[in-house]
Each structure stands twice: as C-alpha cells, then as structure tokens.
Amino acid sequence: MDITPFKKNLEKYAGYYSPSSLFDKIKKFAKIAGVKTIYLVLILYYATFDKNLPVKNRLMVLAALGYFILPFDIIPDAVPGGFADDAAALLYVAKHIWKNMSEETFSKARKKLDEWFGEVEESEIKI
C-alpha cells in the first residue's frame, strides 16, 4: 500500500497543530455541541406537554429522553464519541415530530436554555 498521499496530508495538516489551538477548538466545539444537545433535549422535554403533539409522538419523545438518561447505552457515554447514540436517538425523534410542535414548545426550551447558559447566539443552537 502506497502511503505517499497520506504522508502529504499529514505533513500539510501537522503544521496547523499546536496544543493551544487544539484546546481552543475543543472549548469552542464543546460549548456549541453541548448547547445544541441540551437545547434539543429541552425542546423534546417541553414537547411532552404540548397538547398539539399526538400521543404517538409524545411516546417517541419519552422513549428518546429515557434513552438519553439511561446509564447503559449501545455506546457507553464514558468512551470518546459515547454520546453519538444518544444524539442520534434525539435527532431521529425530533425529525419526526418537529412540524407537530407548537411555537410555545420552542419558546419554553429557549427560555430555559438562556437561563442555564446565558444569552446564546441563534447560530450556536441551529439544529
């Protein structure tokens, strides 16, 4: 196997690496990823009280939130990427019920998010 193409990419991208830039990126990404995930959880939580949401949709939400809370996952939360399965379950359900939720559900989730995280830019929570 010829590794020449990989070697060129390694040399190219290694020049961008520094511990400070790595931690800056992690800090920025963690905040955005964390805020988005929490916002999605809050939207789904408030959706359980949304009278416009069909019962079948509410049951899907409760299952996804239950999986999010469950300490035993397909991918353990303690390993790198361990929240991927939780996020996938949340996104799957959100995609299926999004159009059925009222504006009040989104408003309550946003209010709680701002309470916990302070003023959050709309671009940081776009799902």
Side-chain angles (χ1 to χ4, degrees):
M1 177 178 185
D2 182 20
I3 64 166
T4 305
F6 298 109
K7 194 173 182 181
K8 287 180 184 178
N9 280 336
L10 284 174
E11 291 168 358
K12 178 182 172 183
Y13 293 116
Y16 292 103
Y17 174 78
S18 75
S20 63
S21 62
L22 175 66
F23 289 124
D24 287 345
K25 178 74 174 201
I26 289 170
K27 191 163 72 172
K28 181 180 177 184
F29 179 76
K31 179 184 178 201
I32 292 170
V35 169
K36 278 186 180 183
T37 302
I38 297 305
Y39 183 50
L40 183 56
V41 169
L42 288 169
I43 289 169
L44 293 177
Y45 167 75
Y46 286 111
T48 64
F49 301 102
D50 191 336
K51 300 296 182 202
N52 296 326
L53 199 63
V55 173
K56 179 182 176 183
N57 288 168
R58 284 193 222 164
L59 292 173
M60 289 174 67
V61 169
L62 291 172
L65 293 175
Y67 186 79
F68 180 72
I69 295 168
L70 190 70
F72 305 106
D73 292 349
I74 293 171
I75 303 172
D77 293 340
V79 302
F83 287 102
D85 58 328
D86 298 275
L90 296 170
L91 285 169
Y92 176 83
V93 170
K95 179 181 176 184
H96 282 80
I97 69 165
W98 203 263
K99 292 179 182 176
N100 294 331
M101 290 187 286
S102 69
E103 194 56 43
E104 183 181 6
T105 295
F106 294 105
S107 178
K108 286 179 180 179
R110 179 59 194 251
K111 184 178 177 184
K112 183 57 81 174
L113 186 77
D114 288 343
E115 180 184 316
W116 287 350
F117 289 92
E119 215 41 52
V120 176
E121 295 290 324
E122 195 67 33
S123 62
E124 293 179 324
I125 58 171
K126 188 173 181 179
I127 299 173

